Amino acid sequence: MPALFTKILCPIDFTENSLAALDLARQLAEQNQATICLLHVIFLPVVEPGKIPPEPYPTGLEAPARAKLEEIAAKQLK
């Protein structure tokens, strides 16, 4: 029987629920020899409608989120 999934996108917001979803995604990936792609969204400041967002965008948000995502991937996707 062919695999149902070849790629699985799993959004992570670092909550227990998203980590449980990652565990399920890992199980599905193992059963189907699929690849898991993790996604985490960094929220930017909200600006008033019609106004241009500040540039450059705030820095320092991506690196800690990336490090935490990599740590989770290393622990749960062995």
PDB file of all heavy atoms in Angstrom, residues 21-57:
ATOM      1  N   ALA A  21       0.997  17.391  19.246  1.00  0.00           N
ATOM      2  CA  ALA A  21       0.772  17.287  17.809  1.00  0.00           C
ATOM      3  C   ALA A  21       2.050  16.838  17.103  1.00  0.00           C
ATOM      4  O   ALA A  21       1.992  16.047  16.146  1.00  0.00           O
ATOM      5  CB  ALA A  21       0.289  18.621  17.250  1.00  0.00           C
ATOM      6  N   LEU A  22       3.188  17.309  17.569  1.00  0.00           N
ATOM      7  CA  LEU A  22       4.463  16.891  16.990  1.00  0.00           C
ATOM      8  C   LEU A  22       4.687  15.401  17.205  1.00  0.00           C
ATOM      9  O   LEU A  22       5.173  14.709  16.312  1.00  0.00           O
ATOM     10  CB  LEU A  22       5.620  17.703  17.580  1.00  0.00           C
ATOM     11  CG  LEU A  22       7.016  17.313  17.119  1.00  0.00           C
ATOM     12  CD1 LEU A  22       7.135  17.386  15.603  1.00  0.00           C
ATOM     13  CD2 LEU A  22       8.053  18.193  17.794  1.00  0.00           C
ATOM     14  N   ASP A  23       4.323  14.905  18.376  1.00  0.00           N
ATOM     15  CA  ASP A  23       4.462  13.472  18.636  1.00  0.00           C
ATOM     16  C   ASP A  23       3.599  12.663  17.663  1.00  0.00           C
ATOM     17  O   ASP A  23       4.045  11.662  17.108  1.00  0.00           O
ATOM     18  CB  ASP A  23       4.084  13.157  20.088  1.00  0.00           C
ATOM     19  CG  ASP A  23       4.429  11.734  20.468  1.00  0.00           C
ATOM     20  OD1 ASP A  23       5.563  11.286  20.171  1.00  0.00           O
ATOM     21  OD2 ASP A  23       3.556  11.047  21.036  1.00  0.00           O
ATOM     22  N   LEU A  24       2.386  13.111  17.436  1.00  0.00           N
ATOM     23  CA  LEU A  24       1.508  12.439  16.473  1.00  0.00           C
ATOM     24  C   LEU A  24       2.081  12.538  15.058  1.00  0.00           C
ATOM     25  O   LEU A  24       2.080  11.555  14.307  1.00  0.00           O
ATOM     26  CB  LEU A  24       0.102  13.030  16.525  1.00  0.00           C
ATOM     27  CG  LEU A  24      -0.917  12.438  15.561  1.00  0.00           C
ATOM     28  CD1 LEU A  24      -1.091  10.947  15.787  1.00  0.00           C
ATOM     29  CD2 LEU A  24      -2.240  13.152  15.685  1.00  0.00           C
ATOM     30  N   ALA A  25       2.600  13.696  14.700  1.00  0.00           N
ATOM     31  CA  ALA A  25       3.210  13.870  13.375  1.00  0.00           C
ATOM     32  C   ALA A  25       4.398  12.936  13.204  1.00  0.00           C
ATOM     33  O   ALA A  25       4.593  12.342  12.140  1.00  0.00           O
ATOM     34  CB  ALA A  25       3.643  15.326  13.188  1.00  0.00           C
ATOM     35  N   ARG A  26       5.183  12.771  14.276  1.00  0.00           N
ATOM     36  CA  ARG A  26       6.329  11.856  14.226  1.00  0.00           C
ATOM     37  C   ARG A  26       5.879  10.426  13.979  1.00  0.00           C
ATOM     38  O   ARG A  26       6.453   9.700  13.173  1.00  0.00           O
ATOM     39  CB  ARG A  26       7.136  11.942  15.521  1.00  0.00           C
ATOM     40  CG  ARG A  26       8.392  11.070  15.514  1.00  0.00           C
ATOM     41  CD  ARG A  26       9.071  11.032  16.871  1.00  0.00           C
ATOM     42  NE  ARG A  26       8.176  10.726  17.978  1.00  0.00           N
ATOM     43  CZ  ARG A  26       7.690   9.509  18.255  1.00  0.00           C
ATOM     44  NH1 ARG A  26       7.981   8.481  17.506  1.00  0.00           N
ATOM     45  NH2 ARG A  26       6.893   9.333  19.288  1.00  0.00           N
ATOM     46  N   GLN A  27       4.822  10.013  14.665  1.00  0.00           N
ATOM     47  CA  GLN A  27       4.295   8.659  14.472  1.00  0.00           C
ATOM     48  C   GLN A  27       3.808   8.459  13.039  1.00  0.00           C
ATOM     49  O   GLN A  27       4.090   7.430  12.422  1.00  0.00           O
ATOM     50  CB  GLN A  27       3.163   8.395  15.455  1.00  0.00           C
ATOM     51  CG  GLN A  27       3.605   8.310  16.903  1.00  0.00           C
ATOM     52  CD  GLN A  27       2.426   8.229  17.854  1.00  0.00           C
ATOM     53  OE1 GLN A  27       1.376   7.717  17.513  1.00  0.00           O
ATOM     54  NE2 GLN A  27       2.595   8.763  19.056  1.00  0.00           N
ATOM     55  N   LEU A  28       3.079   9.432  12.518  1.00  0.00           N
ATOM     56  CA  LEU A  28       2.604   9.346  11.130  1.00  0.00           C
ATOM     57  C   LEU A  28       3.770   9.305  10.149  1.00  0.00           C
ATOM     58  O   LEU A  28       3.740   8.568   9.159  1.00  0.00           O
ATOM     59  CB  LEU A  28       1.689  10.522  10.799  1.00  0.00           C
ATOM     60  CG  LEU A  28       0.301  10.496  11.417  1.00  0.00           C
ATOM     61  CD1 LEU A  28      -0.403  11.833  11.187  1.00  0.00           C
ATOM     62  CD2 LEU A  28      -0.514   9.358  10.837  1.00  0.00           C
ATOM     63  N   ALA A  29       4.796  10.101  10.425  1.00  0.00           N
ATOM     64  CA  ALA A  29       5.967  10.129   9.552  1.00  0.00           C
ATOM     65  C   ALA A  29       6.677   8.781   9.549  1.00  0.00           C
ATOM     66  O   ALA A  29       7.089   8.293   8.490  1.00  0.00           O
ATOM     67  CB  ALA A  29       6.919  11.237   9.982  1.00  0.00           C
ATOM     68  N   GLU A  30       6.792   8.175  10.714  1.00  0.00           N
ATOM     69  CA  GLU A  30       7.435   6.858  10.790  1.00  0.00           C
ATOM     70  C   GLU A  30       6.640   5.812  10.025  1.00  0.00           C
ATOM     71  O   GLU A  30       7.213   4.986   9.316  1.00  0.00           O
ATOM     72  CB  GLU A  30       7.589   6.429  12.253  1.00  0.00           C
ATOM     73  CG  GLU A  30       8.664   7.191  12.998  1.00  0.00           C
ATOM     74  CD  GLU A  30       8.707   6.840  14.472  1.00  0.00           C
ATOM     75  OE1 GLU A  30       7.862   6.054  14.964  1.00  0.00           O
ATOM     76  OE2 GLU A  30       9.590   7.379  15.166  1.00  0.00           O
ATOM     77  N   GLN A  31       5.329   5.836  10.158  1.00  0.00           N
ATOM     78  CA  GLN A  31       4.472   4.861   9.483  1.00  0.00           C
ATOM     79  C   GLN A  31       4.492   5.018   7.970  1.00  0.00           C
ATOM     80  O   GLN A  31       4.275   4.051   7.240  1.00  0.00           O
ATOM     81  CB  GLN A  31       3.027   4.987   9.982  1.00  0.00           C
ATOM     82  CG  GLN A  31       2.841   4.600  11.420  1.00  0.00           C
ATOM     83  CD  GLN A  31       1.458   4.980  11.944  1.00  0.00           C
ATOM     84  OE1 GLN A  31       0.634   5.533  11.224  1.00  0.00           O
ATOM     85  NE2 GLN A  31       1.227   4.708  13.216  1.00  0.00           N
ATOM     86  N   ASN A  32       4.721   6.233   7.503  1.00  0.00           N
ATOM     87  CA  ASN A  32       4.642   6.516   6.076  1.00  0.00           C
ATOM     88  C   ASN A  32       5.973   6.901   5.446  1.00  0.00           C
ATOM     89  O   ASN A  32       6.014   7.299   4.292  1.00  0.00           O
ATOM     90  CB  ASN A  32       3.633   7.655   5.842  1.00  0.00           C
ATOM     91  CG  ASN A  32       2.228   7.237   6.178  1.00  0.00           C
ATOM     92  OD1 ASN A  32       1.556   6.627   5.359  1.00  0.00           O
ATOM     93  ND2 ASN A  32       1.766   7.529   7.398  1.00  0.00           N
ATOM     94  N   GLN A  33       7.052   6.782   6.206  1.00  0.00           N
ATOM     95  CA  GLN A  33       8.374   7.192   5.745  1.00  0.00           C
ATOM     96  C   GLN A  33       8.323   8.610   5.182  1.00  0.00           C
ATOM     97  O   GLN A  33       8.823   8.904   4.103  1.00  0.00           O
ATOM     98  CB  GLN A  33       8.922   6.204   4.707  1.00  0.00           C
ATOM     99  CG  GLN A  33       9.107   4.819   5.275  1.00  0.00           C
ATOM    100  CD  GLN A  33       9.608   3.833   4.253  1.00  0.00           C
ATOM    101  OE1 GLN A  33       9.515   4.047   3.058  1.00  0.00           O
ATOM    102  NE2 GLN A  33      10.142   2.719   4.737  1.00  0.00           N
ATOM    103  N   ALA A  34       7.698   9.490   5.934  1.00  0.00           N
ATOM    104  CA  ALA A  34       7.483  10.872   5.515  1.00  0.00           C
ATOM    105  C   ALA A  34       8.487  11.809   6.181  1.00  0.00           C
ATOM    106  O   ALA A  34       9.135  11.461   7.167  1.00  0.00           O
ATOM    107  CB  ALA A  34       6.060  11.314   5.864  1.00  0.00           C
ATOM    108  N   THR A  35       8.581  12.992   5.644  1.00  0.00           N
ATOM    109  CA  THR A  35       9.416  14.056   6.176  1.00  0.00           C
ATOM    110  C   THR A  35       8.536  15.022   6.962  1.00  0.00           C
ATOM    111  O   THR A  35       7.445  15.374   6.511  1.00  0.00           O
ATOM    112  CB  THR A  35      10.089  14.827   5.023  1.00  0.00           C
ATOM    113  OG1 THR A  35      10.870  13.916   4.261  1.00  0.00           O
ATOM    114  CG2 THR A  35      10.964  15.942   5.539  1.00  0.00           C
ATOM    115  N   ILE A  36       9.027  15.447   8.129  1.00  0.00           N
ATOM    116  CA  ILE A  36       8.299  16.436   8.925  1.00  0.00           C
ATOM    117  C   ILE A  36       8.958  17.796   8.733  1.00  0.00           C
ATOM    118  O   ILE A  36      10.175  17.945   8.851  1.00  0.00           O
ATOM    119  CB  ILE A  36       8.308  16.078  10.422  1.00  0.00           C
ATOM    120  CG1 ILE A  36       7.578  14.764  10.652  1.00  0.00           C
ATOM    121  CG2 ILE A  36       7.682  17.193  11.247  1.00  0.00           C
ATOM    122  CD1 ILE A  36       7.604  14.309  12.089  1.00  0.00           C
ATOM    123  N   CYS A  37       8.143  18.801   8.458  1.00  0.00           N
ATOM    124  CA  CYS A  37       8.593  20.185   8.372  1.00  0.00           C
ATOM    125  C   CYS A  37       7.971  20.928   9.550  1.00  0.00           C
ATOM    126  O   CYS A  37       6.756  20.933   9.701  1.00  0.00           O
ATOM    127  CB  CYS A  37       8.140  20.824   7.064  1.00  0.00           C
ATOM    128  SG  CYS A  37       8.810  20.024   5.610  1.00  0.00           S
ATOM    129  N   LEU A  38       8.813  21.512  10.384  1.00  0.00           N
ATOM    130  CA  LEU A  38       8.324  22.267  11.531  1.00  0.00           C
ATOM    131  C   LEU A  38       8.154  23.731  11.148  1.00  0.00           C
ATOM    132  O   LEU A  38       8.934  24.272  10.374  1.00  0.00           O
ATOM    133  CB  LEU A  38       9.291  22.154  12.705  1.00  0.00           C
ATOM    134  CG  LEU A  38       9.532  20.754  13.247  1.00  0.00           C
ATOM    135  CD1 LEU A  38      10.519  20.801  14.395  1.00  0.00           C
ATOM    136  CD2 LEU A  38       8.246  20.098  13.660  1.00  0.00           C
ATOM    137  N   LEU A  39       7.134  24.359  11.724  1.00  0.00           N
ATOM    138  CA  LEU A  39       6.845  25.764  11.448  1.00  0.00           C
ATOM    139  C   LEU A  39       6.558  26.479  12.756  1.00  0.00           C
ATOM    140  O   LEU A  39       5.782  26.004  13.581  1.00  0.00           O
ATOM    141  CB  LEU A  39       5.617  25.870  10.539  1.00  0.00           C
ATOM    142  CG  LEU A  39       5.045  27.268  10.334  1.00  0.00           C
ATOM    143  CD1 LEU A  39       5.972  28.094   9.445  1.00  0.00           C
ATOM    144  CD2 LEU A  39       3.666  27.194   9.722  1.00  0.00           C
ATOM    145  N   HIS A  40       7.218  27.611  12.943  1.00  0.00           N
ATOM    146  CA  HIS A  40       6.923  28.488  14.068  1.00  0.00           C
ATOM    147  C   HIS A  40       6.813  29.896  13.514  1.00  0.00           C
ATOM    148  O   HIS A  40       7.657  30.336  12.733  1.00  0.00           O
ATOM    149  CB  HIS A  40       8.013  28.433  15.137  1.00  0.00           C
ATOM    150  CG  HIS A  40       7.757  29.352  16.277  1.00  0.00           C
ATOM    151  ND1 HIS A  40       6.779  29.107  17.216  1.00  0.00           N
ATOM    152  CD2 HIS A  40       8.324  30.520  16.621  1.00  0.00           C
ATOM    153  CE1 HIS A  40       6.767  30.100  18.091  1.00  0.00           C
ATOM    154  NE2 HIS A  40       7.693  30.964  17.748  1.00  0.00           N
ATOM    155  N   VAL A  41       5.780  30.617  13.897  1.00  0.00           N
ATOM    156  CA  VAL A  41       5.546  31.963  13.400  1.00  0.00           C
ATOM    157  C   VAL A  41       5.924  32.967  14.483  1.00  0.00           C
ATOM    158  O   VAL A  41       5.526  32.826  15.633  1.00  0.00           O
ATOM    159  CB  VAL A  41       4.064  32.150  13.000  1.00  0.00           C
ATOM    160  CG1 VAL A  41       3.792  33.581  12.593  1.00  0.00           C
ATOM    161  CG2 VAL A  41       3.693  31.181  11.884  1.00  0.00           C
ATOM    162  N   ILE A  42       6.691  33.956  14.090  1.00  0.00           N
ATOM    163  CA  ILE A  42       7.060  35.040  14.995  1.00  0.00           C
ATOM    164  C   ILE A  42       6.107  36.190  14.722  1.00  0.00           C
ATOM    165  O   ILE A  42       5.990  36.650  13.585  1.00  0.00           O
ATOM    166  CB  ILE A  42       8.507  35.486  14.765  1.00  0.00           C
ATOM    167  CG1 ILE A  42       9.450  34.336  15.060  1.00  0.00           C
ATOM    168  CG2 ILE A  42       8.841  36.693  15.637  1.00  0.00           C
ATOM    169  CD1 ILE A  42      10.879  34.600  14.675  1.00  0.00           C
ATOM    170  N   PHE A  43       5.416  36.630  15.745  1.00  0.00           N
ATOM    171  CA  PHE A  43       4.472  37.715  15.597  1.00  0.00           C
ATOM    172  C   PHE A  43       5.201  39.054  15.628  1.00  0.00           C
ATOM    173  O   PHE A  43       6.020  39.300  16.505  1.00  0.00           O
ATOM    174  CB  PHE A  43       3.414  37.671  16.695  1.00  0.00           C
ATOM    175  CG  PHE A  43       2.518  36.488  16.592  1.00  0.00           C
ATOM    176  CD1 PHE A  43       2.709  35.378  17.390  1.00  0.00           C
ATOM    177  CD2 PHE A  43       1.483  36.466  15.666  1.00  0.00           C
ATOM    178  CE1 PHE A  43       1.895  34.267  17.288  1.00  0.00           C
ATOM    179  CE2 PHE A  43       0.663  35.368  15.547  1.00  0.00           C
ATOM    180  CZ  PHE A  43       0.869  34.267  16.364  1.00  0.00           C
ATOM    181  N   LEU A  44       4.882  39.881  14.656  1.00  0.00           N
ATOM    182  CA  LEU A  44       5.451  41.223  14.604  1.00  0.00           C
ATOM    183  C   LEU A  44       4.476  42.197  15.254  1.00  0.00           C
ATOM    184  O   LEU A  44       3.279  41.924  15.326  1.00  0.00           O
ATOM    185  CB  LEU A  44       5.717  41.625  13.155  1.00  0.00           C
ATOM    186  CG  LEU A  44       6.791  40.807  12.451  1.00  0.00           C
ATOM    187  CD1 LEU A  44       6.911  41.234  10.999  1.00  0.00           C
ATOM    188  CD2 LEU A  44       8.129  40.941  13.145  1.00  0.00           C
ATOM    189  N   PRO A  45       4.955  43.342  15.682  1.00  0.00           N
ATOM    190  CA  PRO A  45       4.063  44.315  16.313  1.00  0.00           C
ATOM    191  C   PRO A  45       2.922  44.718  15.377  1.00  0.00           C
ATOM    192  O   PRO A  45       3.106  44.846  14.172  1.00  0.00           O
ATOM    193  CB  PRO A  45       4.965  45.514  16.598  1.00  0.00           C
ATOM    194  CG  PRO A  45       6.353  45.017  16.470  1.00  0.00           C
ATOM    195  CD  PRO A  45       6.320  43.807  15.606  1.00  0.00           C
ATOM    196  N   VAL A  46       1.777  44.941  15.951  1.00  0.00           N
ATOM    197  CA  VAL A  46       0.609  45.373  15.190  1.00  0.00           C
ATOM    198  C   VAL A  46       0.680  46.881  15.018  1.00  0.00           C
ATOM    199  O   VAL A  46       1.002  47.610  15.947  1.00  0.00           O
ATOM    200  CB  VAL A  46      -0.685  44.981  15.930  1.00  0.00           C
ATOM    201  CG1 VAL A  46      -1.904  45.489  15.187  1.00  0.00           C
ATOM    202  CG2 VAL A  46      -0.753  43.475  16.124  1.00  0.00           C
ATOM    203  N   VAL A  47       0.378  47.315  13.814  1.00  0.00           N
ATOM    204  CA  VAL A  47       0.349  48.754  13.557  1.00  0.00           C
ATOM    205  C   VAL A  47      -1.065  49.159  13.187  1.00  0.00           C
ATOM    206  O   VAL A  47      -1.878  48.322  12.802  1.00  0.00           O
ATOM    207  CB  VAL A  47       1.325  49.164  12.429  1.00  0.00           C
ATOM    208  CG1 VAL A  47       2.754  48.878  12.822  1.00  0.00           C
ATOM    209  CG2 VAL A  47       0.987  48.457  11.135  1.00  0.00           C
ATOM    210  N   GLU A  48      -1.342  50.414  13.300  1.00  0.00           N
ATOM    211  CA  GLU A  48      -2.673  50.906  12.956  1.00  0.00           C
ATOM    212  C   GLU A  48      -2.927  50.726  11.468  1.00  0.00           C
ATOM    213  O   GLU A  48      -2.000  50.836  10.660  1.00  0.00           O
ATOM    214  CB  GLU A  48      -2.788  52.389  13.316  1.00  0.00           C
ATOM    215  CG  GLU A  48      -2.728  52.661  14.802  1.00  0.00           C
ATOM    216  CD  GLU A  48      -2.818  54.150  15.104  1.00  0.00           C
ATOM    217  OE1 GLU A  48      -3.508  54.868  14.357  1.00  0.00           O
ATOM    218  OE2 GLU A  48      -2.196  54.566  16.080  1.00  0.00           O
ATOM    219  N   PRO A  49      -4.191  50.452  11.088  1.00  0.00           N
ATOM    220  CA  PRO A  49      -4.499  50.297   9.664  1.00  0.00           C
ATOM    221  C   PRO A  49      -4.085  51.538   8.870  1.00  0.00           C
ATOM    222  O   PRO A  49      -4.275  52.668   9.323  1.00  0.00           O
ATOM    223  CB  PRO A  49      -6.018  50.134   9.648  1.00  0.00           C
ATOM    224  CG  PRO A  49      -6.370  49.665  11.017  1.00  0.00           C
ATOM    225  CD  PRO A  49      -5.352  50.255  11.933  1.00  0.00           C
ATOM    226  N   GLY A  50      -3.477  51.295   7.732  1.00  0.00           N
ATOM    227  CA  GLY A  50      -3.057  52.388   6.868  1.00  0.00           C
ATOM    228  C   GLY A  50      -1.668  52.921   7.167  1.00  0.00           C
ATOM    229  O   GLY A  50      -1.120  53.682   6.387  1.00  0.00           O
ATOM    230  N   LYS A  51      -1.090  52.531   8.290  1.00  0.00           N
ATOM    231  CA  LYS A  51       0.257  52.979   8.627  1.00  0.00           C
ATOM    232  C   LYS A  51       1.267  51.935   8.159  1.00  0.00           C
ATOM    233  O   LYS A  51       0.982  50.752   8.126  1.00  0.00           O
ATOM    234  CB  LYS A  51       0.406  53.208  10.125  1.00  0.00           C
ATOM    235  CG  LYS A  51      -0.340  54.423  10.613  1.00  0.00           C
ATOM    236  CD  LYS A  51       0.155  54.820  11.966  1.00  0.00           C
ATOM    237  CE  LYS A  51      -0.483  56.141  12.374  1.00  0.00           C
ATOM    238  NZ  LYS A  51       0.042  56.598  13.646  1.00  0.00           N
ATOM    239  N   ILE A  52       2.431  52.402   7.852  1.00  0.00           N
ATOM    240  CA  ILE A  52       3.500  51.516   7.402  1.00  0.00           C
ATOM    241  C   ILE A  52       4.183  50.927   8.626  1.00  0.00           C
ATOM    242  O   ILE A  52       4.512  51.661   9.567  1.00  0.00           O
ATOM    243  CB  ILE A  52       4.509  52.288   6.534  1.00  0.00           C
ATOM    244  CG1 ILE A  52       3.791  52.827   5.285  1.00  0.00           C
ATOM    245  CG2 ILE A  52       5.694  51.415   6.167  1.00  0.00           C
ATOM    246  CD1 ILE A  52       4.640  53.741   4.436  1.00  0.00           C
ATOM    247  N   PRO A  53       4.414  49.606   8.626  1.00  0.00           N
ATOM    248  CA  PRO A  53       5.100  49.002   9.784  1.00  0.00           C
ATOM    249  C   PRO A  53       6.518  49.555   9.938  1.00  0.00           C
ATOM    250  O   PRO A  53       7.123  49.953   8.955  1.00  0.00           O
ATOM    251  CB  PRO A  53       5.135  47.513   9.458  1.00  0.00           C
ATOM    252  CG  PRO A  53       4.496  47.339   8.152  1.00  0.00           C
ATOM    253  CD  PRO A  53       4.082  48.656   7.609  1.00  0.00           C
ATOM    254  N   PRO A  54       7.023  49.589  11.149  1.00  0.00           N
ATOM    255  CA  PRO A  54       8.379  50.106  11.362  1.00  0.00           C
ATOM    256  C   PRO A  54       9.414  49.216  10.668  1.00  0.00           C
ATOM    257  O   PRO A  54       9.241  48.006  10.600  1.00  0.00           O
ATOM    258  CB  PRO A  54       8.541  50.057  12.877  1.00  0.00           C
ATOM    259  CG  PRO A  54       7.561  49.049  13.341  1.00  0.00           C
ATOM    260  CD  PRO A  54       6.429  49.080  12.362  1.00  0.00           C
ATOM    261  N   GLU A  55      10.421  49.856  10.153  1.00  0.00           N
ATOM    262  CA  GLU A  55      11.522  49.106   9.538  1.00  0.00           C
ATOM    263  C   GLU A  55      12.820  49.587  10.163  1.00  0.00           C
ATOM    264  O   GLU A  55      12.946  50.758  10.483  1.00  0.00           O
ATOM    265  CB  GLU A  55      11.531  49.320   8.036  1.00  0.00           C
ATOM    266  CG  GLU A  55      10.376  48.612   7.371  1.00  0.00           C
ATOM    267  CD  GLU A  55      10.498  48.632   5.854  1.00  0.00           C
ATOM    268  OE1 GLU A  55      11.627  48.699   5.349  1.00  0.00           O
ATOM    269  OE2 GLU A  55       9.467  48.584   5.194  1.00  0.00           O
ATOM    270  N   PRO A  56      13.807  48.819  10.332  1.00  0.00           N
ATOM    271  CA  PRO A  56      13.721  47.391  10.074  1.00  0.00           C
ATOM    272  C   PRO A  56      12.835  46.714  11.113  1.00  0.00           C
ATOM    273  O   PRO A  56      12.610  47.254  12.193  1.00  0.00           O
ATOM    274  CB  PRO A  56      15.155  46.914  10.203  1.00  0.00           C
ATOM    275  CG  PRO A  56      15.807  47.897  11.120  1.00  0.00           C
ATOM    276  CD  PRO A  56      15.084  49.218  10.880  1.00  0.00           C
ATOM    277  N   TYR A  57      12.346  45.569  10.755  1.00  0.00           N
ATOM    278  CA  TYR A  57      11.498  44.832  11.687  1.00  0.00           C
ATOM    279  C   TYR A  57      12.303  44.501  12.935  1.00  0.00           C
ATOM    280  O   TYR A  57      13.526  44.400  12.889  1.00  0.00           O
ATOM    281  CB  TYR A  57      10.960  43.557  11.040  1.00  0.00           C
ATOM    282  CG  TYR A  57       9.969  43.851   9.955  1.00  0.00           C
ATOM    283  CD1 TYR A  57      10.282  43.630   8.629  1.00  0.00           C
ATOM    284  CD2 TYR A  57       8.718  44.381  10.258  1.00  0.00           C
ATOM    285  CE1 TYR A  57       9.369  43.911   7.622  1.00  0.00           C
ATOM    286  CE2 TYR A  57       7.802  44.672   9.269  1.00  0.00           C
ATOM    287  CZ  TYR A  57       8.129  44.442   7.948  1.00  0.00           C
ATOM    288  OH  TYR A  57       7.232  44.727   6.973  1.00  0.00           O
TER     289      TYR A  57
END
